[in-house]
Structures are given as structure tokens and as C-alpha cells.
Amino acid sequence: MNRRDALTTVALAGAALAATASAPANAQTTSTLDRIKKNGVLRVAVIVGQEPYFHKDLASGEWSGACIDMANDIAAKLGAKVERVESTWGNQILDLQGDKVDLAFAVNPTPERALVIDFSTPILVHSFTVITKKGFAKPQTWAELNKPEVKIAVDIGSTHEMIARRYCPKATISGFKNRDEAILAVATGRADCNVSLAVLSVSTLKKNPNLGELAIPRPLLTLPTNMGIRAEADRRYKDFLSAWADYNRSLGQTREWMLKGFEAVKVSAEDIPAEVQF
């Protein structure tokens, strides 16, 4: 390489470095917190028929529930209003990744999810339960369900599916698009039971007491429930949500929101098993 070519190479390399150095600054997107404050909108994933978290009045289209109250409180502290985006338990992680929502409630922080999104500290801790169809023996342990002849219905992509496959790998497990379809499979006898978080199971059986029975198999399986957000370098939004979650949980406000959310399906504190804590 002659001196002229060498100088040209150095110049091109320098230009490339300069372009690389400036690219992140030019390509950097506004942080979630800054965008919420600027636009005055907090986009929240909501899920139909998932009391006490979410309840949609089909006649009026109005939303209520524990997570709606939580979202309104968070938005008020950010000087924003809530924009509700309908989703499912399985899709709300994708909605976060796809920048369709800024916040997803009741997200269990699994290692796999931690690779693609971020989390606040826990809102509360839940127990996993089983809804059995009429006539199906109420299981005392997860091992009793771990048999090929046992048919378990779960919603695809949820922690319900994760627990079923982890503790009942020998069972015949069927995945459905959402939890309503999984419950329908139990109601119609296509499945023997459904694995769900306790708060969802309690409200489901209150709405449809003829569906079956609630079981809390041993060992008692619990998992924290957090708020999910997009992963980003700016930690202010995450730190704010974590402080908000810790504050309201310690004061008992989270429990009050949950009990109020249960009112939509006429569930009182006395209807909730002692093992179910929030």
C-alpha cells in the first residue's frame, strides 16, 4: 500500500468511526418516561374478563378493576391519562416489545421474560391453583395431575402453561389462545382441569359456580406478580414504578384495590382461601 492509499484508508476509517459515534445519538429514541410526560398518555395493556384485575362492561364499554385503578393512580402521578390497549396474557409481552403499550400489569418475572423486557418490584405474590371439572377428583398434590390420562387446559404463553408443563409434564396439556377458551374446555368436558393464578380462579368460580371446584395442590407454588415495561437504559421509569409498587403494597393500598376489583364478580374477602395472599 502506497502513502496515498494509506492516507485514504485512514481517512475512511476516521469517517466510519465518526459516523458510528454519532449514530446512537441520532438514532436514540425518547425514553418511556419522557414520552409519557410529553404526550400526557400512559398506554396500558388491558384484558377482557380477568377480574379482579380487569373488568369491561360490555354494554357501556367502561373498564374497571384493580389494575385499572392502579393505572389511573400511576398516570395521575405522571400527569398523564390512561389509554387502554386490549391484549391477552400471552400477547402483552409482545405488545411491550412492539411498543404498543408502556405498561403491562400482573406479569410474572420469569428468566425468559427478563431477557426481553424489564420489571418493577412485585405488586403482590400469588398462589397457583387448579379449577377442576365437575366429577373430577380434587387433587391434593401436583403429582396427582402428572398422569397421561389427565387433560389440562392452559392459555398459551402464560405462566399457567409454564407451571403445568413444569409440574405435570406427563399430563396431556392443551394450549388455548386465551384463558377464556381454556376455561371453556373444562366447562365442556374437553379438559379435566385448568391451571390459573388463585385470584383468577376465585373470580371464575364465583361467576360460574357450576363449573367445578377450586384446588390448591401441594407443594404450594407462588410467584411474584410485577409490572412489565420495555427494557431501556434510562432507569427512571422502572425506579418510579418500583417505588410506587413498594409504597402501595406496604400501606395495604394494593390489597384494597384487589378487594374492590373482586366486587365486580361479587367476591368478598370471606370467599378467598386463606392461602391466597395479596
Side-chain angles (χ1 to χ4, degrees):
M1 177 184 296
N2 59 36
R3 185 171 180 271
R4 179 181 176 183
D5 290 340
L7 289 173
T8 301
T9 300
V10 170
L12 289 173
L17 286 172
T20 301
S22 62
N26 295 334
Q28 185 177 5
T29 58
T30 304
S31 71
T32 300
L33 184 60
D34 287 339
R35 185 171 65 183
I36 292 170
K37 289 184 173 181
K38 179 181 178 181
N39 297 340
V41 176
L42 174 67
R43 301 172 299 170
V44 178
V46 296
I47 305 171
V48 174
Q50 301 302 311
E51 295 83 2
Y53 295 132
F54 304 101
H55 174 75
K56 184 178 182 180
D57 186 303
L58 298 181
S60 66
E62 292 296 316
W63 286 85
S64 59
C67 290
I68 298 298
D69 288 338
M70 293 180 197
N72 288 333
D73 190 72
I74 291 170
K77 288 177 170 54
L78 295 175
K81 65 179 181 180
V82 175
E83 178 181 304
R84 294 172 289 274
V85 180
E86 290 197 23
S87 186
T88 66
W89 294 122
N91 286 343
Q92 63 177 353
I93 304 301
L94 296 175
D95 290 341
L96 277 173
Q97 291 179 274
D99 196 20
K100 294 180 179 179
V101 298
D102 304 309
L103 183 60
F105 280 101
V107 180
N108 300 120
T110 65
E112 293 79 9
R113 288 173 176 173
L115 292 173
V116 294
I117 64 170
D118 211 342
F119 307 94
S120 70
T121 53
I123 304 172
L124 41 86
V125 176
H126 280 317
S127 303
F128 284 94
T129 59
V130 172
I131 295 177
T132 63
K133 71 178 182 181
K134 285 288 187 180
F136 186 80
K138 189 174 178 178
Q140 300 300 311
T141 67
W142 292 98
E144 293 175 36
L145 298 174
N146 191 26
K147 303 172 184 177
E149 61 269 25
V150 175
K151 300 175 182 178
I152 302 177
V154 292
D155 42 326
I156 295 172
S158 66
T159 50
H160 308 144
E161 180 182 19
M162 178 193 73
I163 289 296
R165 296 194 184 282
R166 167 69 176 83
Y167 285 88
C168 309
K170 296 179 182 178
T172 301
I173 300 174
S174 299
F176 293 86
K177 184 174 68 173
N178 54 50
R179 186 169 171 275
D180 286 344
E181 291 186 4
I183 293 297
L184 182 60
V186 176
T188 56
R190 290 177 291 148
D192 299 313
C193 60
N194 163 257
V195 175
S196 292
L197 287 170
V199 293
L200 300 176
S201 296
V202 169
S203 59
T204 296
L205 287 173
K206 191 68 176 184
K207 288 188 291 186
N208 186 6
N210 294 322
L211 178 63
E213 292 189 82
L214 176 68
I216 306 179
R218 269 38 179 186
L220 184 62
L221 303 179
T222 61
L223 198 63
T225 293
N226 303 38
M227 289 176 281
I229 59 176
R230 278 185 303 283
E232 58 184 9
D234 188 339
R235 290 179 52 88
R236 292 177 300 152
Y237 184 47
K238 175 181 177 179
D239 291 346
F240 160 74
L241 291 175
S242 293
W244 180 92
D246 293 343
Y247 179 78
N248 286 288
R249 190 177 67 251
S250 64
L251 290 181
Q253 178 61 64
T254 303
R255 176 178 174 80
E256 290 183 22
W257 278 323
M258 292 293 289
L259 290 176
K260 181 183 175 185
F262 271 122
E263 292 176 2
V265 286
K266 297 180 172 55
V267 172
S268 65
E270 292 72 29
D271 294 319
I272 302 170
E275 298 94 331
V276 179
Q277 299 295 319
F278 48 78

